[in-house]
Amino acid sequence: MACKRSSYYLTTPIYYVNDVPHLGTAYTTIAADVMARYRRMQGHDVRFLTGLDEHGQKVEQAAVAAGMTPQAWVDKLAPAFKETWDLLDINYDIFMRTTSDEHRRSVQALARRLYENGDIYAGNYEGWYCVPDETYWTDSELADDQEVSGDEGEIKIPSCPQCNRPLTYVREKNWFFRLSKYTDFLINHYEKDPGAMGPDTRRNEVLSFLRGGLNDLSISRANVSWGIPLPWTEEGDDPQTMYVWFDALINYITAVGFGACEDGADEACTREFTYRWPAQVHFVGKDIIRFHCIIWPAMLHAAGLALPKTVFAHGFLLTKGEKMSKSKGNAVTPAQLVERFGVDGYRYYFMRDVVFGQDGSISDEAMVQRFNGDLANDWGNLCSRLFSMVGKYCGGVVPSYVGDIAADGAEGAVLRDITAGLGARVEDAYDRFDYSGALSAVWELVRAANRYLEESAPWGLAKDPDAADQLGNVLYSALEAVRVIALYTAPVMPATSDEVMARMGCSPATTSIDLEACAKWGLLEAGNVVEKGEPLFLRLEVEKEQ
Ligand code: ME8
């Protein structure tokens, strides 16, 4: 467990600017945002990076088709991402664009370092390339029914094993990175440090791929002009550009200062870099683990840089059994879901219902069910009936707790005791990237608070003049549980938590920098004004929604 207040640097993939942000890219970004918010609330010094992958053949081709320069094209598309992240309450610190000058300097600095170390050499590339995925494929990776040689010399065009779209044949002089040289290093890395990659199933997949042996990797393109130029050329050659993945991965170190100095680009010249790097976690989808768990660590190691502490790969969001993607035409937009479920309802559903690390089928029905059950009924209803009782029985202010709140068997002890163990359970879940587990631990308190109100029946106590202290203690305890719930749900539903805290006269949950201390039982101040307010979540009608 990292010491609180230490640096916590986390990243999402940088998304291809060509695609609009969709539920899949939003999923990774929300997960990273929740982790960033949780770590901030614990007091860590967080840097949260997201951004855009703007170079490569795919973008170049799309720009040509649109009759625009690639730069004008990416400038036109980029704002949609920031708008979507704003809509979803994503509180990132750095938005990287790979067309920035700082990134060009950083990529060239890293490439130069590898070149000078002898890890880059000139060779000839001949083989298949997937432009939409910007990925090279070897013959052996293509399925048997995709034999490349047809009758009479005719070439059958194979399709990409990942996205199924037709591949392009590439034959050119390229520069190669000696990836194969790092095979044993990588095997050893993942064998020795199980935490270096999660979940375990993905780590095993990476290990078995590594044990099959690695080929060197072409890191430049001769005929793609939309990219970062290699900082060297051989006599007689046209300048080449970097392979887009080689360029893109480096964004993770650009963002924290690598290559900030023009001359020599030595990372020691920036304190930020030594402080921030390595990253605590790179969040990725399972489609891009080979890049992040094989190519990227080999590049870093070859450059004498530390490896990220963890790469965590989540699964795919599926609709009707198929991966959601814009190109498959089955994507609902994040804005459409926000319109129906609100930002927090949206964020809650994906964090609670899809187990992080596994594929998850999402459906309208499941969303409505979660929304009505967990949010409208459990959490929203707890707040509204409690706040209304405080209005009715306590003049709309937090009552004082009479007696020793810490004593055995004190009123509300059942909630106090759940709260006492909650911080550790939530932290353990977040340490394992188990968002669903973190939320279900908090929901034990939500449900217990609802049960507690039922069982203590404040409406009955209110009729008994001798039970005034007990009534105050019951309502105080339930309010205290609400305050604790608002704190622990804030990373997932920040606006709702801040609203709940405001209604109880407390400072915003999201400003906590010592979550466990803030969640200590009994800190709620008596006398705070409590406002009932509008319902937090209005039940959705399934029939109407469907
Ligand atoms: O791969 N379910 O960008 P990209 C869950 N530019 N997550 C999904 C998803 C789905 N159905 N579809 C997409 C690239 N994602 C490169 C990355 S990083 C140095 C370069 C998410 O726009 C998931 O995180 O294709 C996946 O890894 C990412 O979007 C791919 O985004």
Side-chain angles (χ1 to χ4, degrees):
M1 189 196 310
C3 145
K4 310 277 162 62
R5 309 210 175 278
S6 59
S7 164
Y8 193 101
Y9 175 41
L10 76 169
T11 68
T12 70
I14 47 169
Y15 304 111
Y16 288 127
V17 70
N18 253 14
D19 230 349
V20 291
H22 52 77
L23 297 193
T25 43
Y27 177 60
T28 320
T29 313
I30 289 171
D33 183 61
V34 171
M35 187 60 78
R37 286 175 178 276
Y38 175 68
R39 298 302 177 191
R40 278 189 206 107
M41 287 181 71
Q42 285 192 310
H44 287 284
D45 181 9
V46 170
R47 277 292 175 284
F48 169 20
L49 165 74
T50 189
L52 296 175
D53 194 351
E54 301 190 326
H55 288 129
Q57 203 168 354
K58 172 159 73 163
V59 171
E60 191 175 40
Q61 287 177 355
V64 169
M68 294 171 87
T69 64
Q71 188 65 57
W73 175 245
V74 297
D75 287 347
K76 179 172 173 243
L77 296 173
F81 283 84
K82 284 193 170 173
E83 280 160 24
T84 304
W85 303 154
D86 287 348
L87 175 74
L88 295 175
D89 227 348
I90 306 296
N91 192 6
Y92 56 82
D93 297 295
I94 312 164
F95 192 89
M96 174 61 58
R97 293 186 59 182
T98 53
T99 47
S100 65
D101 286 347
E102 53 169 345
H103 183 61
R104 179 184 38 78
R105 273 200 300 271
S106 167
V107 170
Q108 291 186 331
L110 192 100
R112 209 178 299 115
R113 203 184 265 202
L114 301 190
Y115 181 71
E116 282 162 10
N117 289 350
D119 270 317
I120 288 181
Y121 64 93
N124 289 306
Y125 182 79
E126 190 166 349
W128 295 98
Y129 190 80
C130 173
V131 177
D133 280 349
E134 301 281 13
T135 305
Y136 297 99
W137 293 101
T138 59
D139 287 352
S140 62
E141 286 172 313
L142 301 177
D144 289 346
D145 61 349
Q146 298 203 353
E147 283 301 331
V148 292
S149 51
D151 296 339
E152 294 148 17
E154 174 199 333
I155 300 272
K156 191 171 138 197
I157 308 282
S159 49
C160 171
Q162 188 152 289
C163 71
N164 256 330
R165 285 171 285 200
L167 298 176
T168 306
Y169 203 70
V170 174
R171 184 184 289 130
E172 55 188 37
K173 178 185 166 183
N174 283 166
W175 292 89
F176 285 79
F177 168 51
R178 292 188 199 282
L179 181 62
S180 59
K181 183 175 142 188
Y182 295 100
T183 314
D184 290 342
F185 164 77
L186 291 170
I187 292 175
N188 194 33
H189 172 62
Y190 291 113
E191 279 178 346
K192 267 198 170 151
D193 180 5
M197 144 119 243
D200 284 349
T201 43
R202 299 284 160 231
R203 190 170 134 260
N204 294 336
E205 193 182 308
V206 167
L207 271 167
S208 80
F209 188 80
L210 284 167
R211 289 186 187 118
L214 296 176
N215 295 321
D216 288 349
L217 174 77
S218 162
I219 55 119
S220 70
R221 300 297 310 273
N223 299 311
V224 179
S225 60
W226 184 235
I228 296 177
L230 254 68
W232 64 84
T233 44
E234 277 200 342
E235 246 186 73
D237 278 356
D238 287 332
Q240 300 213 355
T241 56
M242 301 285 177
Y243 168 43
V244 63
W245 267 102
F246 186 83
D247 155 350
L249 289 162
I250 296 170
N251 97 91
Y252 299 133
I253 52 175
T254 305
V256 288
F258 181 82
C261 301
E262 286 257 20
D263 48 335
D266 179 358
E267 81 276 15
C269 69
T270 147
R271 255 200 248 139
E272 172 78 353
F273 185 75
T274 19
Y275 174 56
R276 292 286 173 199
W277 191 256
Q280 253 61 36
V281 51
H282 291 317
F283 285 97
V284 295
K286 67 177 186 181
D287 50 335
I288 54 176
I289 50 180
R290 286 192 199 171
F291 296 100
H292 284 83
C293 301
I294 295 175
I295 298 174
W296 178 227
M299 284 163 63
L300 287 166
H301 187 63
L305 300 174
L307 271 45
K309 296 253 192 278
T310 303
V311 178
F312 198 93
H314 63 72
F316 286 151
L317 298 182
L318 311 171
T319 43
K320 301 193 175 82
E322 262 204 72
K323 181 190 174 203
M324 273 201 118
S325 68
K326 198 191 143 225
S327 57
K328 291 219 175 108
N330 59 0
V332 183
T333 68
Q336 284 168 318
L337 291 189
V338 165
E339 207 167 296
R340 293 184 44 209
F341 297 94
V343 175
D344 285 355
Y346 177 136
R347 292 170 60 107
Y348 178 80
Y349 170 75
F350 284 96
M351 293 297 97
R352 178 66 185 85
D353 226 50
V354 182
V355 175
F356 204 66
Q358 295 172 20
D359 287 351
S361 284
I362 59 166
S363 72
D364 184 71
E365 215 181 345
M367 281 193 88
V368 172
Q369 212 173 342
R370 275 282 170 208
F371 185 89
N372 285 347
D374 296 5
L375 299 183
N377 286 2
D378 293 346
W379 179 214
N381 199 28
L382 170 65
C383 294
S384 68
R385 66 185 183 146
L386 176 61
F387 295 170
S388 121
M389 284 191 265
V390 172
K392 229 157 129 189
Y393 308 134
C394 309
V397 294
V398 176
S400 304
Y401 189 96
V402 181
D404 181 4
I405 198 168
D408 281 348
E411 186 58 63
V414 60
L415 304 181
R416 181 195 66 199
D417 295 347
I418 297 175
T419 298
L422 194 54
R425 289 178 65 195
V426 168
E427 178 160 19
D428 173 60
Y430 276 116
D431 284 349
R432 291 180 291 104
F433 303 96
D434 178 9
Y435 295 88
S436 196
L439 286 166
S440 69
V442 181
W443 245 252
E444 284 177 30
L445 185 58
V446 176
R447 299 209 169 102
N450 272 320
R451 233 177 4 251
Y452 174 70
L453 281 181
E454 283 305 316
E455 286 165 7
S456 3
W459 45 91
L461 297 173
K463 290 184 193 141
D464 176 359
D466 294 336
D469 286 354
Q470 198 191 346
L471 172 65
N473 287 357
V474 166
L475 294 179
Y476 181 92
S477 302
L479 286 167
E480 186 55 337
V482 164
R483 190 184 66 86
V484 169
I485 295 160
L487 283 166
Y488 283 117
T489 50
V492 178
M493 297 186 284
T496 304
S497 289
D498 283 351
E499 173 65 24
V500 169
M501 293 297 253
R503 288 187 194 182
M504 296 197 299
C506 300
S507 51
T510 51
T511 57
S512 150
I513 51 161
D514 189 345
L515 182 53
E516 267 207 70
C518 292
K520 280 245 158 62
W521 192 254
L523 293 184
L524 177 62
E525 283 186 39
N528 280 4
V529 173
V530 176
E531 274 175 62
K532 178 162 188 264
E534 296 295 313
L536 295 170
F537 305 98
L538 283 173
R539 273 184 73 85
L540 295 168
E541 294 302 325
V542 183
E543 302 78 22
K544 210 167 96 191
E545 292 304 330
Q546 279 180 339

